[in-house]
Amino acid sequence: MNTSDNGSTRPRHPVDALSTFLEDTARQIRRLEQQAEHALHEKNDQQEYRRLLAEKTTVLSELPALAEARVAALPDSVAGAVRERLERFAQSASNALRIGSIFYMSALLYPEHHKEGDKNDLERYADEVRDIRY
């Protein structure tokens, strides 16, 4: 972080701001997934499970809008590809919300052959963004 003359901190680089935002969002989603699993398996509360997965899915569906200020700070040569990838996350989430499928909501961000402990697609994308150079 850099400190400006007025004492506020700001990311050193627009890529850092975006990757940090994506990492924070990925952590939020992991927390929601853990809470959902707890609701289902420990409390046997299917309604709470569904609500938490819907919240996870809503966060993903809003990802492009939430990230836009950070994406807009990137050069056009990079921003277009980033927007496209964020839109794919959002589109999948919007589809899951539209059809109301709990299975689809729970599977968002996890490829078919995902192994427990592996990073999900959003976590991997945050890593990719951190490595962007221009």
Side-chain angles (χ1 to χ4, degrees), residues 22-124:
L22 294 174
E23 290 163 353
D24 290 346
T25 303
R27 276 192 293 278
Q28 176 188 6
I29 287 170
R30 283 279 189 181
R31 274 192 305 276
L32 290 167
E33 290 171 335
Q34 290 167 349
Q35 291 170 349
E37 288 298 312
H38 178 77
L40 183 63
H41 298 295
E42 303 298 322
K43 295 167 49 180
N44 198 28
D45 187 342
Q46 291 188 2
Q47 194 169 18
E48 180 73 354
Y49 176 72
R50 177 178 282 277
R51 185 192 69 73
L52 289 161
L53 287 182
E55 186 175 340
K56 163 199 170 177
T57 306
T58 299
V59 169
L60 281 171
S61 72
E62 296 171 350
L63 194 57
L66 295 171
E68 181 53 33
R70 293 163 188 91
V71 175
L74 299 170
D76 291 343
S77 61
V78 175
V82 170
R83 280 188 186 99
E84 184 178 305
R85 184 72 181 271
L86 296 177
E87 284 295 334
R88 285 194 307 238
F89 285 123
Q91 185 61 44
S92 293
S94 294
N95 286 341
L97 287 170
R98 182 177 46 78
I99 63 176
S101 168
I102 291 301
F103 174 76
Y104 194 179
M105 289 179 200
S106 68
L108 286 169
L109 301 178
Y110 297 96
E112 184 177 344
H113 300 291
H114 182 266
K115 294 182 183 97
E116 186 68 33
D118 287 352
K119 290 185 175 186
N120 66 34
D121 289 344
L122 184 57
E123 292 162 334
R124 281 198 303 277

